[in-house]
Amino acid sequence: AVLFCILIFAGGLSYKIIGGILAVTVPSALIFLTLIMQEGQTILRGYQLDRIMAWLNPSEYADTAYQQINSIIAIGSGQLYGKGLYNTDPSSVKNSNYIIEPQTDFIFAVAGEELGFIGALAVIVLFVLFLVQGLIISFEASDRFSTLVGVGIMAQVGWQVFCNVAVVTNTLPNTGISLPFFSSGGTSLLLLMAEMGVMIHIGRNGARAAQARRAAHEARQEQAQRAAARPPITLDSVRRQ
């Protein structure tokens, strides 16, 4: 729903309609949470319900919330400056294998532990700058289709970052979404590189289109200056000719 709203907003749809969609989505999510917490519900499978319940009550579902609880401990143990990149501290959550397969969905917890609050914040700031630059490229594209493709790519990457960081900090239930460019996984990285190739193509076409518009504008200005520099045509000049 979030990606859909972003794309239709970029396509020029009124924010009032988008507000209406969100006004329906938020209560629907609350109703959904109420329904799945009822005994005998058949909406979700067992493991799916366990993930949501572990998010709401991590102390009662410690086995299911194991990863998220330890990721919060890892981030907290990094404090301000972290324990150092690739440290060998035996008390490290990563080195002690308290986080299973930390190089995948919980790589941000490792960044928080080894680089500290400053390093984790730097990672988030870099993603924000990356998304802002991508949106600038998208809105300077040569046509509407390229704009929508660029906004869609940036929205997808931004949503992945938000979900991953939110899961690691237990703001959202575990979703299994990787952190773009950081989590291991060849397929994910390959698709991201393909998307970045599309963004580069959109940027180059947009730059060429902007250059062509500037050249046309300068040509019109030069033509207007030449026309203004010509002597006015008077009756005497016509008679002399």
Side-chain angles (χ1 to χ4, degrees):
V2 174
L3 298 181
F4 175 72
C5 289
I6 292 173
L7 284 176
I8 61 177
F9 178 75
L13 194 64
S14 172
Y15 68 91
K16 295 181 180 179
I17 299 177
I18 298 174
I21 295 173
L22 294 177
V24 173
T25 302
V26 173
S28 299
L30 296 176
I31 294 172
F32 174 76
L33 286 175
T34 303
L35 291 175
I36 63 173
M37 294 179 69
Q38 303 296 322
E39 293 184 5
Q41 64 84 28
T42 57
I43 300 174
L44 296 179
R45 297 180 180 177
Y47 73 94
Q48 295 171 327
L49 180 62
D50 287 344
R51 286 188 176 187
I52 296 176
M53 297 306 295
W55 168 59
L56 296 173
N57 301 299
S59 59
E60 296 181 11
Y61 293 83
D63 291 340
T64 305
Y66 177 83
Q67 287 279 81
Q68 288 174 293
I69 292 173
N70 286 316
S71 70
I72 294 173
I73 295 173
I75 294 172
S77 66
Q79 299 183 4
L80 187 61
Y81 299 106
K83 297 180 179 179
L85 196 63
Y86 303 118
N87 71 84
T88 57
D89 185 354
S91 65
S92 168
V93 174
K94 182 197 70 172
N95 295 333
S96 301
N97 293 323
Y98 287 120
I99 297 179
I100 303 171
E101 301 293 337
Q103 74 277 8
T104 55
D105 305 344
F106 285 82
I107 190 66
F108 187 76
V110 177
E113 182 182 50
E114 296 190 346
L115 304 177
F117 174 78
I118 293 177
L121 183 62
V123 171
I124 294 175
V125 170
L126 287 174
F127 271 119
V128 171
L129 294 176
F130 170 79
L131 294 173
V132 169
Q133 182 60 43
L135 291 176
I136 291 173
I137 291 174
S138 300
F139 286 111
E140 292 180 351
S142 57
D143 55 79
R144 176 61 63 85
F145 176 76
S146 297
T147 297
L148 293 178
V149 170
V151 170
I153 291 174
M154 289 298 103
Q156 176 251 319
V157 174
W159 181 246
Q160 271 192 253
V161 173
F162 171 76
C163 287
N164 182 273
V165 174
V167 167
V168 171
T169 56
N170 202 33
T171 308
L172 286 177
N174 199 340
T175 58
I177 295 178
S178 60
L179 185 63
F181 306 109
F182 280 80
S183 296
S184 66
T187 303
S188 174
L189 187 60
L190 180 64
L191 292 176
L192 284 168
M193 290 296 102
E195 290 177 339
M196 295 308 103
V198 173
M199 291 301 301
I200 291 172
H201 179 72
I202 292 173
R204 287 180 176 176
N205 282 349
R208 282 195 289 265
Q211 186 177 3
R213 288 193 296 268
R214 284 195 297 269
H217 178 68
E218 291 173 359
R220 288 194 298 269
Q221 283 186 328
E222 184 178 355
Q223 187 177 3
Q225 290 174 355
R226 289 178 181 176
R230 292 175 184 172
I233 299 176
T234 62
L235 184 59
D236 291 338
S237 63
V238 173
R239 287 175 178 175
R240 284 195 296 270
Q241 291 177 0

